[in-house]
C-alpha cells in the first residue's frame, strides 16, 4: 500500500537468493530507470516523509524487525503477507547496517498453533516461509519435536498424534485401554515426550489425581503402562529413568513431589519429600541435574536426591527449561523470561504485558520461543537468548500458541 502505480512501470517480485519469498510478497510497481527502481512517493515512518531506493540486483538484503525496533532512514518498512496475514515486518535495505534478523537460524523451524483459518491448526515456519500442516476440526496443542526433527507429536481430540514436517503423514497413537477410558474422569491431552533417541514416546491419559503414564514405540507398537499416577514426565538422557510429579493427598491438603523411577515404572524415589507443590521437573541434557519449581523459586537437585539448591528465590517462578548444553535454565515469573546459570547468575531476556505460559529453547541455544496471554489473545514470541531481537510471530488478531523449535536434520 506504500506504492502507487506510475507510468512506464516494470513489475517484479523481490526475491532474496537465500529465502524464497516470491509466494509471500505481493507484486510491487517501480518506475523503469536504468538498473534502479526508484519511487518518490513518500512513506510515513515515525511522522517523517521518506524516499526509498531499491535496486533490482541481489545486493539488497531482507531483514526482519519487530515493530519496536528502530529503523535507519535508508531502510523502508514493508509488511509481509502470507496465509497467516501480516506475519512480521520486513526491511528492504541496500546496506548491511541496521536491525539484524530476529529469526531462527537457517535449517531450524518453528511450529506453532494458530486459529487464523477458524480452528486451531498447526503451522510450520522455516526459512521465512510458513505453511499449514493440519486442517481439522479438532483443537491441536502441545507440540513436541522428535530429536532428529523428523516428527512432531501433538495432542488433538483427546489423543496423541505424530505428523511429518511436510504434513503428509499423521498417525494417532492407540486409544487407551477400556479400564482407563471408563473411570468417569475426563480424558485430556498432555504434551508427549520423545525419548532422547527418538525411539519411544511417553504420553499421558489424565485423571483427577494424576494420570496413566504410558510408553509406546515411535511406530505405534509396544504400548505399556509405566505408572497409574504421575504427570509431567521428563526422560533421563540414557532413557533408563524418568523424572515426574506424583500427587498425594494428606487430609484436605494436596502435595506434589518430584520422583524419579526406572523407565519401566519400578523403584520410584521421592527426591523432594516436602509439603509444597513442586512443578515442571526437567532433566538436564547431560543427565547430571533435575530442575523444578516450587512456590518459593527455581531449584535443582541431582537424580539421587542430594545437592538440593535454590537458584532463583522469586515467588511464583516457574517453567524451568534447560538449554541444550545444560549450562542455563530459562524460566518465567509470569510477565518475563529469564535465563539463569548453575551459579545462580540471572539475566532477564524479555518482558511483556501479559502472562507467559510456555518456554522452549532452540536446539542451538541462541533463541528462546515462548507463548503468552496478552489482551485476551494467545501470542507466540521469539527472542535471542541474549535478550535482543524480540519478535511476535503471526497475526495479533488471532491466537498463536504451543511453540516448538525444530531441531536441525542429522548430518
Amino acid at each position: 500500500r506504500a506504492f502507487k502505480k506510475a507510468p512506464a512501470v516494470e513489475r517484479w517480485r523481490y526475491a532474496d537468493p537465500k529465502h524464497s519469498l516470491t509466494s509471500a510478497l505481493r507484486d510491487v510497481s517501480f518506475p523503469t530507470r536504468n538498473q534502479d527502481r526508484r519511487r518518490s512517493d513518500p512513506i510515513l515512518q515515525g511522522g517523517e516523509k521518506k524516499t526509498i531506493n531499491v535496486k533490482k540486483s541481489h545486493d539488497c538484503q531482507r531483514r526482519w524487525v519487530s515493530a519496536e525496533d528502530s529503523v535507519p532512514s535508508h531502510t523502508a518498512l514493508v509488511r509481509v503477507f502470507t496465509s497467516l496475514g501480516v506475519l512480521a515486518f520486513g526491511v528492504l535495505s541496500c546496506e548491511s547496517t541496521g536491525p539484524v534478523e530476529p529469526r531462527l537460524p537457517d535449517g531450524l523451524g518453528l511450529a506453532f498453533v494458530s486459529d487464523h483459518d477458524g480452528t486451531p491448526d498447526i503451522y510450520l515456519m522455516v526459512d521465512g516461509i510458513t505453511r499449514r500442516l493440519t486442517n481439522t476440526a479438532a483443537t491441536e496443542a502441545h507440540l513436541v519435536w522428535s530429536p532428529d526433527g523428523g516428527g512432531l507429536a501433538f495432542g488433538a481430540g483427546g489423543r496423541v498424534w505424530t505428523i511429518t514436517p511436510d504434513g503428509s503423514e499423521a498417525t494417532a497413537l492407540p486409544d487407551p485401554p477400556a479400564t482407563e477410558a471408563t473411570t468417569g474422569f475426563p480424558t485430556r491431552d498432555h504434551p508427549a515426550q520423545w525419548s532422547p533417541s527418538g525411539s519411544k514416546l511417553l504420553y499421558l491419559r489424565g485423571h483427577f489425581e494424576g494420570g496413566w503414564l504410558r510408553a509406546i514405540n515411535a511406530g505405534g507398537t509396544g504400548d505399556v503402562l509405566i505408572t497409574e499416577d504421575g504427570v509431567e514426565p521428563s526422560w533421563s538422557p540414557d532413557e533408563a529413568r524418568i523424572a515426574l510429579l506424583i500427587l498425594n493427598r494428606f487430609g484436605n491438603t494436596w502435595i506434589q513431589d518430584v520422583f524419579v523411577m526406572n523407565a519401566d515404572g519400578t523403584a520410584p524415589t521421592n527426591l523432594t519429600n516436602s509439603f509444597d507443590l513442586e512443578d515442571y521437573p526437567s532433566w538436564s541434557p547431560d543427565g547430571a541435574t533435575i530442575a523444578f519449581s516450587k512456590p518459593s523459586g527455581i531449584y535443582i537437585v541431582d537424580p539421587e536426591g542430594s545437592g538440593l539448591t535454590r537458584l532463583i528465590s522469586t515467588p511464583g517462578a516457574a517453567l524451568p527449561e534447560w538449554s541444550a548444553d545444560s549450562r542455563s535454565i530459562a524460566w518465567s515469573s509470569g510477565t518475563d523470561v529469564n535465563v539463569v546459570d548453575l551459579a545462580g547468575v540471572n539475566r532477564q531476556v524479555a518482558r511483556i504485558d501479559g502472562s507467559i505460559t510456555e518456554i522452549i529453547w532452540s536446539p542451538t541455544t541462541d533463541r528462546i520461543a515462548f507463548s503468552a496471554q496478552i489482551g485476551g489473545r494467545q501470542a507466540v514470541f521469539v527472542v535471542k537468548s541474549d535478550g535482543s531481537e524480540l519478535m511476535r510471530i503471526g497475526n495479533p488478531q488471532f491466537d498463536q500458541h504451543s511453540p516448538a523449535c525444530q531441531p536441525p536434520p542429522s548430518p
Side-chain angles (χ1 to χ4, degrees):
R1 294 185 300 176
F3 301 94
K4 298 178 181 179
K5 290 184 178 180
V9 298
E10 177 179 337
R11 301 182 69 83
W12 60 285
R13 293 176 185 265
Y14 178 79
D16 185 293
K18 291 177 59 180
H19 308 290
S20 175
L21 293 179
T22 55
S23 62
L25 291 174
R26 305 278 181 88
D27 280 334
V28 178
S29 299
F30 294 92
T32 302
R33 183 175 178 181
N34 300 325
Q35 292 300 313
D36 291 343
R37 300 333 188 221
R38 300 181 185 271
R39 188 71 186 119
S40 59
D41 291 328
I43 301 175
L44 295 180
Q45 296 182 17
E48 299 181 11
K49 293 183 178 181
K50 302 292 182 184
T51 300
I52 62 170
N53 300 308
V54 182
K55 289 186 178 181
K56 190 175 180 179
S57 59
H58 289 310
D59 59 349
C60 296
Q61 301 183 15
R62 179 186 57 79
R63 298 175 181 272
W64 295 106
V65 295
S66 70
E68 293 78 14
D69 282 333
S70 61
V71 182
S73 60
H74 61 269
T75 61
L77 280 174
V78 296
R79 288 183 177 182
V80 178
F81 291 84
T82 69
S83 61
L84 290 180
V86 180
L87 181 65
F89 290 94
V91 169
L92 295 181
S93 173
C94 290
E95 297 183 27
S96 60
T97 58
V100 293
E101 182 178 333
R103 53 172 291 161
L104 296 176
D106 289 343
L108 271 72
L110 179 70
F112 58 96
V113 176
S114 175
D115 66 353
H116 179 273
D117 293 303
T119 58
D121 287 309
I122 299 173
Y123 294 81
L124 176 61
M125 178 192 297
V126 180
D127 294 336
I129 303 299
T130 302
R131 62 179 182 272
R132 188 176 179 179
L133 298 189
T134 61
N135 185 7
T136 71
T139 298
E140 286 89 355
H142 308 310
L143 312 186
V144 184
W145 284 104
S146 62
D148 64 359
L152 182 68
F154 63 96
R159 304 179 70 180
V160 177
W161 295 71
T162 60
I163 193 170
T164 53
D166 61 2
S168 61
E169 298 179 27
T171 304
L173 298 186
D175 288 325
T179 54
E180 297 179 12
T182 59
T183 61
F185 295 117
T187 298
R188 65 185 189 272
D189 299 325
H190 286 268
Q193 295 293 328
W194 293 90
S195 63
S197 67
S199 62
K200 294 180 180 292
L201 278 162
L202 287 175
Y203 73 100
L204 197 69
R205 294 294 176 179
H207 59 77
F208 182 70
E209 297 182 4
W212 294 279
L213 180 62
R214 307 188 67 88
I216 189 170
N217 294 327
T221 62
D223 192 358
V224 296
L225 178 67
I226 303 300
T227 181
E228 294 184 358
D229 53 6
V231 294
E232 299 183 20
S234 179
W235 287 96
S236 65
D238 61 4
E239 303 182 16
R241 291 185 290 176
I242 299 166
L244 74 165
L245 297 175
I246 293 181
L247 190 66
N248 292 302
R249 184 173 183 174
F250 291 87
N252 294 325
T253 301
W254 289 95
I255 66 170
Q256 198 164 261
D257 286 323
V258 177
F259 278 72
V260 166
M261 62 177 59
N262 292 333
D264 61 2
T266 60
T269 302
N270 191 333
L271 300 188
T272 53
N273 200 23
S274 72
F275 283 90
D276 280 330
L277 283 173
E278 278 90 17
D279 218 342
Y280 307 108
S282 179
W283 211 309
S284 63
D286 64 6
T289 313
I290 296 170
F292 63 95
S293 68
K294 299 175 69 167
S296 55
I298 302 293
Y299 292 74
I300 56 174
V301 65
D302 72 42
E304 310 308 322
S306 61
L308 180 65
T309 303
R310 181 165 64 176
L311 293 179
I312 296 296
S313 57
T314 303
L319 305 174
E321 178 78 12
W322 286 98
S323 61
D325 58 11
S326 300
R327 299 173 61 184
S328 302
I329 299 171
W331 63 278
S332 174
S333 64
T335 61
D336 54 13
V337 175
N338 302 271
V339 173
V340 62
D341 63 24
L342 298 186
V345 178
N346 184 71
R347 68 181 187 275
Q348 184 182 101
V349 298
R351 186 175 182 83
I352 60 168
D353 185 17
S355 177
I356 295 169
T357 56
E358 299 168 280
I359 298 175
I360 185 73
W361 285 86
S362 71
T364 52
T365 73
D366 64 337
R367 309 276 169 166
I368 297 173
F370 62 96
S371 61
Q373 290 278 352
I374 298 180
R377 289 288 184 188
Q378 299 179 86
V380 170
F381 295 84
V382 176
V383 65
K384 267 193 168 184
S385 56
D386 64 5
S388 64
E389 299 176 5
L390 177 65
M391 174 183 174
R392 183 170 181 172
I393 302 297
N395 191 327
Q397 296 180 357
F398 302 96
D399 286 331
Q400 278 78 228
H401 60 87
S402 301
C405 296
Q406 183 184 22
S410 301

